[in-house]
Amino acid sequence: SEDTDSDQLKNVPQSTENGIDNEAFEMGVVSRPINATEKYFKAHSKIFKYVVLGILGAGYVAYFIAACVLDFQRATALVVLTILAVVATSYELLMKYKGESISHFLKPAVRCFQSNLKWLKCMRTREDVLLLVFFLDTSKRPEQLISFGGVCMFIVLLYLFSAHRSMISWRPVFWGLGMEFCIGLFVIRTEPGLIAFDWLGKQVQVFLDYTKEGSSFVFGDLIANIFAFQALPIVVFFSSVMSILYFLGIMQWLILKISWVMEITMGTSPTETLSVAGNIFVGQTEAPLLIRPYLKEMTKSEIHAVMTGGFATIAGSVMGAFISFGIDASSLISASVMAAPCALAISKLSYPETEESAFKAEKNIKVACGDEQNILEAASSGASASIGLVANIAANLIAFLAILAFINQALSWLGGMVGYPEITFQVRSEIISTYALCGFANFSSLGIVIGGLSSISPSRRSDISSLVLRAMVTGTCVSLINACVAGLLFVPPLDCVGIFRGSAFNATDLNIQQCCQDLFQSTVNNGNITFEGQWSSIPNVTLFFSKCCQCCGLSDVPVCL
């Protein structure tokens, strides 16, 4: 019986093992074609990748051609985006495969440029010419000299109160202010700049209007009458979109390109430049996340520049809220772009570099990314992160508008005692105030900056706390310098109606000629003379029109015939 039991015990596992082997064999037979197919795809992955990209590319080209043929004007935005994508992709491919060859080819020219700096002497002559042109321009509008004096005053004050005056490097200061001035000149004074930023502002406004779909579903008809339900959801929407763009790597690419331009011109380190460039699009606590791994090794001057950039600019989500308030979108966008080089310039004037930076080359600097695993998580985390910001905006609006109303009433009461009850604290110049207020330099932001940066790098808490107040003051000066540059360049439109009413229509008066030309451009003469635009609702416009035709030798203008 013992032999029988032992035989049975031996047979049981044997039969079980045979069953497992059979199942494994069957599974192997079934999975063998799948494994072979998988290996084939892995071995030829590049070919399949190129085939898919080729199909997608051909499809997009067909779509692009069809859109342009059907209505080219409607497809203008598509054409611009396509050109930008092609240029950016071509540049990336060129630098990836031929970057070293190009650098080697240009080395002799760079050495020659660096060894022959005699052209700097010529810069003095050019500066004299620029100053002459500037004073000729301001001779027609002397009030612009007030803005120029403001820029000079802030630079002198920051120099006097600089932490290390003897260590100031003027290269980043002058380059940063020069870049700010050039951006402002392009945006405010040139027609292509006005058109481009006006178009960009309108597109941003259209994009932000999509917020109404979500807020109307949640709040219903309340969005039509209540400000909080109409404007603040824009912050949530914009924050979510920015989070998605970060997840896709689009924002990182754009920030790296902008920082590269400032770095090679101003000579600042890659880390501080990267953070300040990020402040154009994101807030004062989000931008330092781009350089999270390097913050603990940065110098005090670099940390000061990072904080100044945060104080001197506004986040994209807050910009969206400001646009919903009715503030001009193109002015907000240009102010945020202008503030970046100015922030770096002024920060190096307020707290110059006195240490050796550990980051000399950009090749060792990588942009930090978020922890999101997919695009849906990125959208959700961006929306969730905006909750505190929305509450902060609402609370500050309640407090500051109430305080402003009290101050206005107090000033009106005091002015009434001496016969001037109209005295208030209201800012009259909308454009200049837009540039001045485009920043986060306020006392409530001190805690945000200290808490945000200390959480990223706890070992630098003491340095951050000791520099944050100076950075806030410097950020305030950056915003005010931005406003001064805007006031320096901004030319208010002519009050043609007032000029016509108080003028004898002198042919030598340039303002009369310009206003008459504007009136003629809005005139339609198809048998009956009619007026378009602002002139259609102005009384006595026919009288102004006839006087314009009689004066200035303009009687042969087609609309006057």
Side-chain angles (χ1 to χ4, degrees), residues 57-374:
Y60 182 79
V61 169
Y63 167 78
F64 179 79
I65 293 174
C68 293
V69 170
L70 291 174
D71 191 340
F72 185 80
Q73 186 174 1
R74 183 178 61 188
T76 302
L78 181 65
V79 172
V80 172
L81 293 174
T82 303
I83 292 173
L84 290 175
V86 169
V87 170
T89 305
S90 302
Y91 174 79
E92 291 291 335
L93 292 174
L94 183 66
M95 296 305 296
K96 181 178 179 180
Y97 294 104
K98 295 294 181 181
E100 294 183 1
S101 301
I102 294 174
S103 300
H104 182 73
F105 176 76
L106 294 177
K107 270 186 179 180
V110 173
R111 281 197 223 99
C112 179
F113 178 80
Q114 291 176 344
S115 60
N116 295 279
L117 295 179
K118 295 180 181 178
W119 58 273
L120 284 173
K121 297 180 181 179
C122 301
M123 288 291 288
R124 296 177 183 174
T125 306
R126 295 178 185 179
E127 288 173 359
D128 293 339
V129 173
L130 289 175
L131 284 173
L132 177 62
V133 172
F134 166 71
F135 283 113
L136 288 174
D137 180 63
T138 54
S139 63
K140 302 175 183 177
R141 288 172 292 274
E143 64 274 10
Q144 289 177 295
L145 290 173
I146 300 174
S147 298
F148 179 72
V151 175
C152 296
M153 181 193 71
F154 285 117
I155 292 176
V156 171
L157 287 176
L158 286 166
Y159 172 77
L160 292 176
F161 291 99
S162 176
H164 307 282
R165 284 194 296 273
S166 60
M167 300 297 292
I168 293 176
S169 173
W170 291 100
R171 174 188 171 186
V173 176
F174 287 128
W175 266 105
L177 292 174
M179 290 175 68
E180 179 194 25
F181 184 82
C182 290
I183 295 170
L185 189 68
F186 174 73
V187 174
I188 298 174
R189 281 293 187 90
T190 66
E191 187 174 354
L194 286 169
I195 294 173
F197 273 79
D198 183 62
W199 176 85
L200 185 60
K202 289 178 180 177
Q203 303 313 307
V204 171
Q205 183 64 65
V206 170
F207 177 70
L208 294 178
D209 283 341
Y210 291 114
T211 310
K212 295 177 181 177
E213 296 295 326
S215 54
S216 62
F217 177 79
V218 176
F219 303 117
D221 296 335
L222 294 175
I223 66 170
N225 302 313
I226 301 176
F227 166 79
F229 299 137
Q230 185 178 28
L232 295 182
I234 290 177
V235 180
V236 180
F237 171 58
F238 207 94
S239 178
S240 181
V241 171
M242 293 297 291
S243 182
I244 292 173
L245 293 177
Y246 262 96
F247 174 77
L248 297 175
I250 296 174
M251 292 306 304
Q252 289 92 321
W253 180 88
L254 183 61
I255 290 169
L256 278 171
K257 300 309 170 189
I258 295 174
S259 66
W260 175 79
V261 173
M262 291 193 293
E263 183 187 339
I264 62 171
T265 54
M266 301 175 67
T268 49
S269 69
T271 49
E272 59 186 346
T273 310
L274 187 62
S275 179
V276 173
N279 279 123
I280 297 174
F281 308 99
V282 295
Q284 57 193 156
T285 55
E286 292 87 357
L289 294 175
L290 296 167
I291 54 170
R292 184 205 302 259
Y294 316 107
L295 194 61
K296 60 183 178 181
E297 299 179 15
M298 292 174 65
T299 65
K300 287 185 177 182
S301 178
E302 290 171 340
I303 292 176
H304 178 265
V306 168
M307 291 191 289
T308 301
F311 283 121
T313 55
I314 58 173
S317 52
V318 179
M319 185 189 297
F322 282 178
I323 293 172
S324 70
F325 299 166
I327 298 175
D328 182 52
S330 60
S331 296
L332 280 172
I333 296 170
S334 58
S336 192
V337 174
M338 288 168 61
C342 184
L344 267 180
I346 300 304
S347 70
K348 293 304 176 184
L349 182 61
S350 176
Y351 200 101
E353 186 65 80
T354 59
E355 307 170 66
E356 187 71 23
S357 176
F359 312 102
K360 291 294 186 182
E362 190 180 357
K363 61 183 180 181
N364 296 323
I365 305 297
K366 295 182 180 179
V367 178
C369 301
D371 299 326
E372 293 83 6
Q373 301 300 317
N374 54 64

